[in-house]
Amino acid sequence: MVFSSLAFLYYFLPILMIVYFTVPRFMRNGVLLLGSLAFYFYGEPIYTILLVVSSVSDFYHSRYIEKHAGTSKAKWALGSSVAINLFMLGFFKYADFTIASINTIAGTDFPLTHVPLPIGISFFTFQTMSYTIDVYRGKVPAADKMLPFATFVTMFPQLVAGPIVRYEEISERLHYRKHDFNQVASGISRFLIGLSKKVLLANQLGELVSVFELAKEPSVLFYWTYAVAFSLQIYFDFSGYSDMAIGLGKILGFKFPENFDYPFTAQSITVFWRKWHMTLGSWFRDYVYFPLGGNRVTKVKWVRNIFIVWALTGLWHGAAWNFVIWGIYFGVLLILEKLWLKQLLDQAPRLFRHLYVILATSISFVLFDATNMAAVIQNLSGMFGVLDVPLLSAETVYQLQNYGMVLLIAAIGSTPLPARIVKRVPPVRLLEPVYVSALLVIVTAYLVDGSFNPFLYFRF
Amino acid sequence: MKSTKTLKNKLIIGSTAGMILVGSLIQTYAQDPLLSFEERRKLQQFPDLTVQSVLSTEFMKDLELYLADSFPFRNAFRKLKLQIASNVFNKKDQDGYFFYNGHVSKLDDSVNEDQVLLGAEKINALYEKYLKDMKVHYAIIPDKNHYLLEGTDYPKMDYQLLDQLMTDHVSGPEKILLEDVLELKDYYFTDPHWKQENLEDVIERLGDAFGFNIQMENFKVEDWRDFYGAYSSHAQNTSTPDILRYLVSKDLLSSQIYTVDTESYSMIYTPEANVQMDPYSYFAGGPAAIQIIEKNQASTGEELIIFRDSFGSSLAPILMEHYDRITLIDLRYISSDLLDEYVAFGDQDVLFLYSTGVLNQSVMLR
């Protein structure tokens, strides 16, 4: 099930909320657990068992780790828990990638498994791994009851597309949480803003990307338009989903971490990645980069660490080489910035720094979107005028006119400006019930008449 | 301030929760509509709930379609979306449909040369197999965008290219040019078809080619009803509808149409056809593989065969003024290999009459 669907918005959500707020407090985790399992079952009936396995496995592993803290048994248990999670992730997500790569390199012909990818597996395996690692490190006590822990693992708001929530961030509220009108209203607003970002902006930008892919008269400008459109699409799609998750969490009484902080306003790639998918970045930092030594090692090892983290970050996003290249591309930029580029950027005008980030990220998302390396080469060549295409074409002009306002609204929406206006202009703030309701009506109109509703981060 | 904030927040909760609950309750208890006349299609019904359909997620996919199709006030929400797309997002087209100069239309595909050549081959093959030694012509009906989008930056089909391809590759039949005798006012506002009452110049051009002289003064123009065409549900503005008009004459009133597909007779103008879903089917009952229009009393001894698409349905009744019998063949519904089982080819006049849209997807012609 996706949040941007009529089934979720008009049936699952109201039924769950009515039951959730009607039952006694001690039953709310149970309601949330059952609702979350039903939510996942709707999209992945067969793989719901994976959630159960993951919850049970990590619950008992963590209790064993805590019981044998400081001993080699705890270490083995941690290894076992991580291995199980990585095996699930590795098998379902990377098996065919590995087989295909071996076939290509070694000239073999091993058959592919064609096993379907369970929705959200990259998110919930990372979430539960962080839990057992934190228990091992003594950062959090192991959950003493299965129900709150399973609720944490399966919680539907952030189950399939993040943010990646650490157990310590919500453990207290798993056991006790308050609700009040202000929090629920704030959650509703946040949810609807996220839903609008997804349905009204991301989907339309996705249409433009599709139009580009079918273009009869490509041009250099159209290639750049596509790169910018896809960058904005993925931002609004993913940040919209994070907003919805955070909003739903608020309604239910939880405080999830922020995941995006207007990344396109960054003035360096280093800062960009502190604003983009922040929970993933911090996960790799805490569980891969720091254990490898971080930057407290020799320069050679530090470069190695950066490459490992970013190759894994790329691989996390997708089981294909273009994702690995995408990750390494950012690793290279980060190294360059840390070594000398940052000093150069600090001396450059602010506008130049912004353009540098827009340019670098647009190129990166062309890598990200490609289905194969040939498409990467074609699209990048098109952007830089290497292909035999004109600078401009009639089709490009038409589509820029057709989607120009969407691009403009998206560009403004990717900055803090709209949020500042709402916060600082009292009449706008007071009209919140009006525009929130209006957004619900408009989003409903788009869902009722919609045929185009992809979600890009859904298969991670 | 605190009370204002609390009131504001209660309003947020009340309005959004209220809308969601009302929407879901109305949908749950209202009767599911079967058809959408505005969209000209059947609407998705509640899917079958089986273990197989749930485990394969087919049930969930169909459920989403059903919820969208049966949502309360669906048409109002569709209009709202069109308004937002047009007035807020400034979209020039929505899923290829656009509103310009009072017309609703659909963006053309660019010329698909392979398909046009396939169409030319089909015509040549039919000519070789059935129509040699007969008087055979072909004519292309330009899409209304050819006239509507003249001088605009909307993408449009290169009609000249399509026409040249046909000229270069159709070898048997001779071309009748219609492009210069049609103009925008000859097409409906909300439909791709031409208006029957505006075909005088087309008839004259066909008459020059085939050697007949039909006097349009012999016809009386009658109004049938307001006509909301195939594109009308994509118009964000409620434009003045067309009026579907039809031509009547003494010969037409005494003629009948026989549809081979259903083995049934009907009048030429058929209000009992599926007019709610497709008002243009008022002309000759809509699409059919083979239809034969015959006068009650033969007068000229002349017969005509039209290989056609839907445009031919409104043209054929006018041509009955000259021909005693007209056979309408729609190759989208019957294979050309079966034609001699139903049609006796002899000394009839033959006209291939196709719109640019059909020629651009000639794979439809069997």
Side-chain angles (χ1 to χ4, degrees):
Chain A
M1 197 184 289
V2 292
F3 295 159
S4 55
S5 68
L6 293 169
F8 176 83
L9 203 53
Y10 282 86
Y11 291 92
F12 177 86
L13 193 60
I15 292 170
L16 180 83
M17 292 301 173
I18 288 169
V19 176
Y20 183 82
F21 284 108
T22 308
V23 300
R25 280 184 196 275
F26 75 91
M27 290 178 73
R28 284 183 182 167
N29 278 349
V31 168
L32 196 46
L33 173 64
L34 288 175
S36 299
L37 288 172
F39 175 88
Y40 196 77
F41 182 86
Y42 187 91
E44 294 280 13
I46 294 168
Y47 287 146
T48 307
I49 190 70
L50 289 181
L51 276 184
V52 176
V53 164
S54 188
S55 302
V56 171
S57 164
D58 288 323
F59 175 77
Y60 287 108
H61 270 99
S62 66
R63 287 180 65 78
Y64 187 90
I65 288 167
E66 191 175 64
K67 188 179 170 186
H68 299 281
T71 72
S72 61
K73 283 182 183 176
K75 200 177 250 187
W76 278 104
L78 174 67
S80 165
S81 167
V82 170
I84 289 171
N85 278 299
L86 287 179
F87 173 77
M88 270 199 309
L89 187 60
F91 174 72
F92 287 103
K93 189 167 179 179
Y94 299 108
D96 283 352
F97 167 67
T98 308
I99 293 168
S101 299
I102 291 171
N103 285 342
T104 304
I105 295 166
T108 49
D109 192 23
F110 298 119
L112 301 178
T113 65
H114 298 294
V115 64
L117 178 66
I119 298 168
I121 190 167
S122 303
F123 287 95
F124 67 74
T125 51
F126 267 41
Q127 192 152 294
T128 53
M129 273 197 290
S130 79
Y131 166 72
T132 47
I133 294 169
D134 284 348
V135 168
Y136 176 81
R137 287 175 174 175
K139 275 188 79 176
V140 290
D144 54 356
K145 289 189 180 134
M146 174 64 87
L147 178 58
F149 177 73
T151 305
F152 156 70
V153 174
T154 62
M155 207 178 309
F156 76 89
Q158 40 79 42
L159 172 64
V160 293
I164 299 172
V165 178
R166 310 276 181 102
Y167 183 72
E168 63 179 324
E169 286 167 329
I170 63 166
S171 58
E172 203 180 302
R173 292 191 190 221
L174 281 168
H175 294 89
Y176 178 75
R177 49 193 179 270
K178 286 195 307 187
H179 303 89
D180 62 60
F181 280 115
N182 295 331
Q183 184 187 313
V184 170
S186 173
I188 290 172
S189 282
R190 188 77 187 259
F191 173 79
L192 284 170
I193 286 167
L195 186 62
S196 303
K197 282 161 87 171
K198 158 68 182 151
V199 174
L200 302 183
L201 290 177
N203 284 0
Q204 292 204 81
L205 291 162
E207 281 175 15
L208 176 53
V209 169
S210 297
V211 163
F212 164 79
E213 284 162 1
L214 298 171
K216 302 262 179 8
E217 302 172 25
S219 67
V220 174
L221 183 57
F222 210 170
Y223 276 101
W224 280 101
T225 304
Y226 148 70
V228 168
F230 182 73
S231 304
L232 289 169
Q233 179 196 357
I234 201 168
Y235 168 67
F236 281 105
D237 210 280
F238 197 16
S239 71
Y241 216 88
S242 293
D243 285 338
M244 287 190 267
I246 291 166
L248 288 168
K250 260 191 185 176
I251 297 170
L252 296 166
F254 295 95
K255 191 171 186 309
F256 294 155
E258 293 293 334
N259 216 12
F260 289 86
D261 183 22
Y262 305 104
F264 291 118
T265 62
Q267 298 178 47
S268 67
I269 295 301
T270 306
V271 173
F272 176 83
W273 274 101
R274 287 188 199 137
K275 291 169 172 281
W276 179 282
H277 202 173
M278 301 189 290
T279 58
L280 181 73
S282 63
W283 195 99
F284 273 106
R285 180 196 63 207
D286 294 343
Y287 301 110
V288 180
Y289 185 63
F290 284 163
L292 285 173
N295 60 3
R296 294 179 187 191
V297 292
T298 63
K299 200 167 252 185
V300 170
K301 282 192 176 173
W302 168 69
V303 169
R304 176 205 68 182
N305 295 346
I306 295 273
F307 272 113
I308 289 172
V309 165
W310 284 96
L312 289 176
T313 301
L315 202 56
W316 180 91
H317 280 82
W321 287 109
N322 64 298
F323 291 108
V324 178
I325 293 170
W326 174 82
I328 292 174
Y329 166 87
F330 276 119
V332 168
L333 282 176
L334 288 165
I335 290 168
L336 288 175
E337 281 187 7
K338 282 184 172 41
L339 289 178
W340 62 270
L341 188 55
K342 183 79 172 46
Q343 290 96 301
L344 205 68
L345 286 170
D346 287 342
Q347 290 161 28
R350 192 173 158 170
L351 177 63
F352 179 85
R353 294 199 292 268
H354 281 302
L355 287 175
Y356 153 71
V357 170
I358 302 294
L359 177 67
T361 53
S362 297
I363 291 170
S364 81
F365 285 120
V366 169
L367 285 167
F368 190 92
D369 185 40
T371 48
N372 53 54
M373 290 312 297
V376 170
I377 293 166
Q378 161 138 353
N379 289 338
L380 290 177
S381 301
M383 285 167 75
F384 290 99
V386 175
L387 290 182
D388 184 22
V389 293
L391 204 58
L392 197 60
S393 67
E395 187 176 0
T396 307
V397 169
Y398 175 75
Q399 294 302 348
L400 279 173
Q401 290 173 339
N402 203 16
Y403 285 96
M405 186 56 76
V406 174
L407 285 165
L408 180 63
I409 292 173
I412 295 171
S414 68
T415 69
L417 181 62
R420 277 186 197 148
I421 291 172
V422 171
K423 276 198 181 107
R424 293 179 189 176
V425 180
V428 177
R429 212 168 55 235
L430 288 173
L431 287 172
E432 194 177 348
V434 174
Y435 67 73
V436 161
S437 303
L439 284 176
L440 176 59
V441 171
I442 294 169
V443 162
T444 300
Y446 272 73
L447 290 177
V448 165
D449 192 41
S451 55
F452 191 85
N453 192 17
F455 176 60
L456 301 178
Y457 265 74
F458 214 46
R459 303 309 280 185
F460 297 143
Chain B
M1 286 297 279
K2 200 173 170 186
S3 62
T4 310
K5 188 180 175 189
T6 304
L7 174 64
K8 175 184 71 105
N9 288 335
K10 284 183 182 175
L11 280 172
I12 289 172
I13 297 170
S15 60
T16 53
M19 267 194 278
I20 288 172
L21 283 172
V22 166
S24 54
L25 284 172
I26 293 177
Q27 182 165 37
T28 303
Y29 290 106
Q31 196 170 5
D32 294 335
L34 294 171
L35 302 168
S36 167
F37 297 120
E38 290 80 6
E39 295 169 81
R40 314 286 178 95
R41 64 179 181 90
K42 285 185 184 168
L43 294 171
Q44 177 77 29
Q45 300 302 298
F46 191 85
D48 292 332
L49 180 61
T50 63
V51 171
Q52 174 62 23
S53 69
V54 168
L55 290 179
S56 67
T57 69
E58 280 307 307
F59 172 80
M60 290 72 154
K61 288 185 193 109
D62 289 341
L63 181 67
E64 295 293 339
L65 293 172
Y66 159 74
L67 290 175
D69 276 1
S70 63
F71 201 80
F73 314 113
R74 175 181 162 76
N75 288 329
F77 277 114
R78 291 186 70 245
K79 290 282 182 197
L80 174 63
K81 181 189 170 188
L82 286 171
Q83 291 284 353
I84 299 289
S86 173
N87 297 321
V88 175
F89 291 113
N90 219 32
K91 293 290 300 297
K92 294 183 75 146
D93 73 78
Q94 270 296 296
D95 300 324
Y97 295 93
F98 65 94
F99 183 79
Y100 179 76
N101 198 13
H103 281 259
V104 187
S105 191
K106 190 169 196 285
L107 290 175
D108 299 322
D109 291 325
S110 55
V111 173
N112 186 328
E113 292 190 32
D114 290 342
Q115 289 294 305
V116 175
L117 292 178
L118 194 64
E121 265 174 45
K122 175 61 72 176
I123 291 173
N124 291 339
L126 282 162
Y127 179 81
E128 290 297 321
K129 188 172 180 183
Y130 298 119
L131 310 173
K132 271 188 153 172
D133 305 323
M134 294 165 78
K135 189 193 283 182
V136 186
H137 291 276
Y138 78 92
I140 304 168
I141 306 167
D143 188 82
K144 80 168 173 179
N145 286 349
H146 178 65
Y147 307 100
L148 175 63
L149 301 180
E150 182 84 38
T152 71
D153 48 20
Y154 278 91
K156 51 187 172 291
M157 186 185 284
D158 185 347
Y159 171 81
Q160 306 304 336
L161 171 62
L162 188 148
D163 183 64
Q164 192 60 50
L165 285 169
M166 292 294 285
T167 303
D168 292 343
H169 290 91
V170 174
S171 50
E174 289 180 29
K175 183 169 85 176
I176 302 174
L177 182 67
L178 296 181
E179 188 230 352
D180 58 333
V181 296
L182 286 164
E183 46 187 317
L184 183 60
K185 68 171 179 56
D186 300 325
Y187 294 83
Y188 292 106
F189 287 127
T190 60
D191 197 84
H193 290 106
W194 57 20
K195 298 177 185 175
Q196 189 193 47
E197 69 272 22
N198 283 27
L199 294 180
E200 183 169 354
D201 293 338
V202 170
I203 296 293
E204 189 178 335
R205 184 62 59 85
L206 294 176
D208 289 342
F210 283 105
F212 60 74
N213 184 12
I214 291 175
Q215 298 297 320
M216 296 302 285
E217 296 78 38
N218 295 342
F219 293 94
K220 191 175 159 209
V221 180
E222 296 278 355
D223 290 359
W224 182 44
R225 58 180 237 180
D226 287 349
F227 178 48
Y228 291 97
Y231 298 150
S232 57
S233 71
H234 299 280
Q236 66 270 36
N237 301 316
T238 311
S239 49
T240 309
D242 293 294
I243 296 173
L244 197 146
R245 296 190 166 100
Y246 60 101
L247 302 176
V248 291
S249 68
K250 216 164 52 158
D251 283 330
L252 266 181
L253 289 172
S254 65
S255 302
Q256 278 198 308
I257 186 164
Y258 176 71
T259 302
V260 171
D261 311 27
T262 54
E263 294 178 341
S264 60
Y265 286 92
S266 62
M267 301 307 290
I268 295 194
Y269 299 119
T270 50
E272 70 276 12
N274 192 19
V275 291
Q276 278 196 296
M277 291 293 265
D278 179 20
Y280 205 73
S281 62
Y282 182 74
F283 297 108
I290 301 179
Q291 291 175 299
I292 301 165
I293 312 175
E294 252 179 320
K295 274 184 187 151
N296 235 359
Q297 274 187 316
S299 57
T300 61
E302 303 250 1
E303 294 185 14
L304 172 68
I305 296 171
I306 308 179
F307 289 87
R308 53 77 172 231
D309 54 27
S310 52
F311 283 78
S313 298
S314 54
L315 180 75
I318 305 175
L319 296 175
M320 284 304 293
E321 192 69 7
H322 173 74
Y323 293 98
D324 291 337
R325 181 181 157 110
I326 297 180
T327 304
L328 299 166
I329 301 173
D330 195 333
L331 291 176
R332 294 175 298 177
Y333 302 105
I334 183 166
S335 166
S336 42
D337 293 334
L338 299 176
L339 288 179
D340 49 5
E341 292 182 30
Y342 299 95
V343 181
F345 294 97
D347 59 354
Q348 302 98 325
D349 289 346
V350 180
L351 172 64
F352 287 91
L353 181 69
Y354 290 118
S355 59
T356 50
V358 168
L359 284 173
N360 213 34
Q361 289 185 74
S362 291
V363 69
M364 287 194 282
L365 303 175
R366 294 160 61 185

